[in-house]
Amino acid sequence: MDNFGTSGKRTHQGSTAGRAIELDFVRGLAIIMVMGMHFHTVSAGHPVLAWIEYPLKNFGREGVNLFFTLSGFLVGGLLLRQYSQEGRIDAGRFIVRRIFKIWPAYYALIAFHVLAGRHPTSTFLYQNLTHLQNYFGSSIAQTWSLAVEEHFYLLLPALLILLARWRAGATTILWTLGVTCVVVLAARCAAVADGNLEAAAAYTQYRIDSLLVGVMLATVYWMQPAYYRALAQRRALLVALVLGLVVWLVWLQPMPRMEESIGYTIQAIGFAALIMLALEYSGDLRRTMVYRAVAWIGIYSYGIYLWHSIALAPGALFIQKATGMELPVVVTWAAALAVQFIIAIGAGYVTTRAIEFPFLRLREALFPARRRPQEAVPPAQPNELPNERPAA
């Protein structure tokens, strides 16, 4: 959930400089999946509507996994780019810049819930203030994943600083991250075997591997560009990995023990392939209205993620009123989803513009990103994509 990407021809016209429309498209997909899972609907009994609703209601949790892998790629890329260029990690500056990005909007949400009194403070306040809501629970339920990412922001710099002191190269970093992912997977499988499915789904030590897979992709991207280019050119393999993910989600994901154990690993690999496909092969899709609309939603995905739960009560009320008025079920279904999406996206847009963007501008004034000339990774399609890497 970060604000950087490629520059030049691949950015939104009129939007924040340095954003990659491809990565915003991936963000948009992720947040639409999450909203679809949470929003209220009615049973319309129409086969076409059931087909539309199926991925929203069944794959919504996977939107969080997509956010995790994308965050690992983007946030890990910030540190790995610096390491590849300067041979060091400035963890302090990284953490301060993360604070400016994450905390203002996050604490505004907490303050809103304190003042609104929608939940007793005992159900969320100390949990969210300490960033331990994924362990202790929170009535602001969607914030559990932010705790995992906060812990990741502290653990990754510490690990990379240690590796930097050893002058570790890309191969050592990849092996370290890979072994860590295997250990996390083994621990998660053990938790599932013991019946601790809730812990396996939310605790940082069981979920951080999805982020680390993204960091592994960033390691190849920044430190082994030739290998990245070779992998990106294997379009059939990337498509196969994404299709394999879809098959998993359709046939095997409904089995909770499979989903909570190896499922997250399969998803992380598939989502890493999806990120590469989006970056390298979006082509003319970037010019379509649907692609650009999803990418526009992706710009405000963090704000939407924080605030989308406020759409639930109006959505439930609308369904109640529409049902009482005996409106056609199909109309109620469509209108209820539309109302909730509009409220959530509107809230995300307003809070992003009012809170997140001003603090990002302040961050750039006080702690500007340190940029150095860099050698570009040639794209998989030389005649189709410009020669820029994601940039902070």
Side-chain angles (χ1 to χ4, degrees):
M1 301 181 187
D2 221 315
N3 293 334
F4 58 93
T6 51
S7 59
K9 291 182 286 184
R10 299 171 74 180
T11 57
H12 297 275
Q13 295 181 359
S15 67
T16 305
R19 297 195 71 104
I21 189 172
E22 300 89 348
L23 298 181
D24 279 329
F25 175 77
V26 175
R27 292 185 184 95
L29 286 179
I31 193 60
I32 289 170
M33 292 166 68
V34 170
M35 287 190 288
M37 174 184 66
H38 289 154
F39 287 166
H40 298 298
T41 59
V42 294
S43 178
H46 193 286
V48 174
L49 297 183
W51 181 81
I52 294 172
E53 186 178 296
Y54 177 81
L56 293 176
K57 289 302 180 184
N58 290 275
F59 304 155
R61 294 177 58 193
E62 284 62 45
V64 175
N65 300 333
L66 178 52
F67 271 130
F68 280 166
T69 306
L70 182 61
S71 290
F73 174 62
L74 295 174
V75 176
L78 289 172
L79 295 168
L80 289 162
R81 181 181 62 178
Q82 182 185 39
Y83 182 51
S84 67
Q85 294 173 349
E86 303 176 19
R88 68 185 186 90
I89 300 293
D90 189 346
R93 190 180 190 86
F94 167 82
I95 292 173
V96 168
R97 286 177 60 84
R98 288 289 86 205
I99 287 173
F100 272 86
K101 162 66 180 174
I102 300 298
W103 282 9
Y106 174 73
Y107 284 118
L109 176 72
I110 304 306
F112 167 80
H113 281 283
V114 170
L115 296 174
R118 300 178 69 212
H119 317 283
T121 56
S122 61
T123 65
F124 71 89
L125 188 57
Y126 80 89
Q127 300 93 323
N128 284 91
L129 290 178
T130 58
H131 301 283
L132 293 173
Q133 63 268 26
N134 61 325
Y135 290 97
F136 299 138
S138 172
S139 55
I140 314 176
Q142 73 273 20
T143 62
W144 73 268
S145 65
L146 299 179
V148 176
E149 295 210 20
E150 290 280 358
H151 305 157
F152 167 73
Y153 297 151
L154 295 176
L155 294 171
L156 181 65
L159 175 61
L160 293 181
I161 286 174
L162 181 62
L163 293 172
R165 289 180 178 175
W166 294 343
R167 303 294 180 185
T171 301
T172 301
I173 294 174
L174 286 170
W175 270 102
T176 302
L177 294 173
V179 169
T180 304
C181 287
V182 172
V183 171
V184 172
L185 173 59
R188 185 168 64 243
C189 289
V192 171
D194 288 339
N196 296 325
L197 271 65
E198 183 176 346
Y203 290 4
T204 301
Q205 68 268 27
Y206 301 136
R207 294 304 305 274
I208 201 169
D209 57 331
S210 294
L211 290 130
L212 295 180
V213 169
V215 179
M216 293 176 72
L217 178 59
T219 303
V220 176
Y221 188 93
W222 285 105
M223 302 185 71
Q224 294 184 319
Y227 287 106
Y228 173 84
R229 184 167 60 251
L231 180 59
Q233 288 172 342
R234 302 185 66 179
R235 183 175 184 176
L237 173 62
L238 298 176
V239 171
L241 290 173
V242 174
L243 290 177
L245 170 62
V246 173
V247 170
W248 168 268
L249 294 179
V250 172
W251 277 286
L252 297 177
Q253 179 259 3
M255 295 187 255
R257 289 182 175 272
M258 296 287 286
E259 168 71 358
E260 306 293 349
S261 54
I262 64 172
Y264 294 142
T265 301
I266 293 172
Q267 290 172 38
I269 294 171
F271 287 140
L274 177 63
I275 291 167
M276 293 186 68
L277 282 173
L279 279 172
E280 302 296 338
Y281 295 102
S282 288
D284 290 338
L285 287 173
R286 293 193 298 265
R287 301 181 181 92
T288 64
M289 290 186 62
V290 171
Y291 192 102
R292 297 185 72 83
V294 173
W296 182 86
I297 292 172
I299 294 176
Y300 304 99
S301 58
Y302 180 48
I304 295 171
Y305 189 80
L306 288 175
W307 292 91
H308 74 275
S309 63
I310 69 171
L312 296 178
L317 179 61
F318 178 87
I319 291 173
Q320 179 184 356
K321 296 293 185 181
T323 302
M325 295 171 60
E326 298 185 348
L327 292 179
V329 177
V330 172
V331 174
T332 302
W333 179 91
L337 276 179
V339 165
Q340 291 169 96
F341 271 100
I342 290 170
I343 292 173
I345 294 171
Y349 176 85
V350 170
T351 55
T352 299
R353 290 286 181 177
I355 302 171
E356 182 182 341
F357 283 0
F359 273 93
L360 289 179
R361 288 191 290 269
L362 179 62
R363 181 186 74 174
E364 294 309 313
L366 298 176
F367 304 95
R370 293 174 177 172
R371 306 180 187 275
R372 293 183 55 180
Q374 57 196 37
E375 186 177 317
V377 176
Q381 302 291 316
N383 296 324
E384 183 177 340
L385 301 178
N387 295 329
E388 290 102 4
R389 299 189 192 184

